[in-house]
Amino acid sequence: MTEPAPEPAGGGAAPAPPELTASTPLNVTPLNVTALFAEAATKSGLMWVQPPGDRAWPFWHAWADETVYAVSGPGEQALPWLPEEVLLILRSKDTGGRLLTVQATVQEIGPSDEGWVTATEALRAGRLNASVDAVERWARECTVRALRPFGTPVEGPGSYPTTSGAAPPPPSEATTATWRPWHWRGRPRRRRGNRLPDDG
């Protein structure tokens, strides 16, 4: 007869989920996907993926068989290299705000893999403007991924942080800090709502 697992010291609440790292083991129990996750993934075609140490990247996806499918590459959306585990951030379709954050495993799927047909059929169905040769082009030029959530949600209703969650803008060479646009015949002396006093 097995002994019950010991309770947390002091009888307090269970410890918070461990921080996501690249070395987190993959031998975890698959998540019994909640109705909240399924509803959010079905109603909203946009979510964010966040690799450890990187910013969150928005991407469109297809939801099928409790799996998030995504395609990226030439002619498609841009996504960075993704490690074996990432965070998935889902938004509320009603408010557009952050709704749920979960951990997910990442698997690249090729034409010879068992899940290729399921993935590409779901992605093609989600693309209203998909070309006739979309699947063939994905096989040649793009990367198809399956992202499967697992474990306890990192963030959800009742456990939102008090910080804003705003991320700094990604690096860019574009700037308007010192350059001012050129105006034909110079800038006007009078602007709407800011008239100069009449002379005299």
Side-chain angles (χ1 to χ4, degrees):
M1 181 176 180
T2 59
E3 297 182 359
E7 297 182 357
E19 183 179 356
L20 178 65
T21 64
S23 59
T24 304
L26 294 179
N27 55 342
V28 293
T29 303
L31 171 66
N32 182 11
V33 179
T34 64
L36 180 61
F37 185 99
E39 181 179 6
T42 302
K43 288 187 175 181
S44 178
L46 181 71
M47 67 175 62
W48 284 257
V49 59
Q50 183 173 1
D54 195 0
R55 67 180 179 90
W57 294 73
F59 71 102
W60 75 270
H61 70 281
W63 169 255
D65 296 336
E66 299 186 351
T67 302
V68 175
Y69 294 107
V71 58
S72 60
E76 301 293 339
Q77 61 194 337
L79 283 176
W81 173 84
L82 298 179
E84 292 180 329
E85 289 188 11
V86 294
L87 291 179
L88 288 180
I89 304 170
L90 291 84
R91 68 174 183 173
S92 169
K93 182 65 173 179
D94 298 327
T95 66
R98 182 179 299 202
L99 178 65
L100 193 65
T101 302
V102 300
Q103 299 181 79
T105 60
V106 180
Q107 177 190 4
E108 292 189 6
I109 302 177
S112 60
D113 295 327
E114 182 179 356
W116 175 258
V117 174
T118 301
T120 53
E121 285 183 352
L123 289 166
R124 183 177 173 80
R127 284 289 299 273
L128 299 179
N129 60 342
S131 59
V132 177
D133 63 340
V135 176
E136 290 77 7
R137 183 171 55 83
W138 293 343
R140 294 192 313 267
E141 305 174 359
C142 298
T143 301
V144 175
R145 295 183 177 96
L147 299 96
R148 298 182 176 90
F150 70 85
T152 305
V154 177
E155 182 182 62
S159 63
Y160 297 120
T162 57
T163 56
S164 68
S172 172
E173 296 180 358
T175 177
T176 57
T178 57
W179 178 81
R180 304 181 67 184
W182 177 80
H183 286 255
W184 172 251
R185 295 184 178 177
R187 290 179 174 272
R189 297 184 68 247
R190 293 187 179 185
R191 298 181 181 177
R192 183 178 301 175
N194 187 24
R195 298 185 60 182
L196 298 176
D198 295 333
D199 295 337

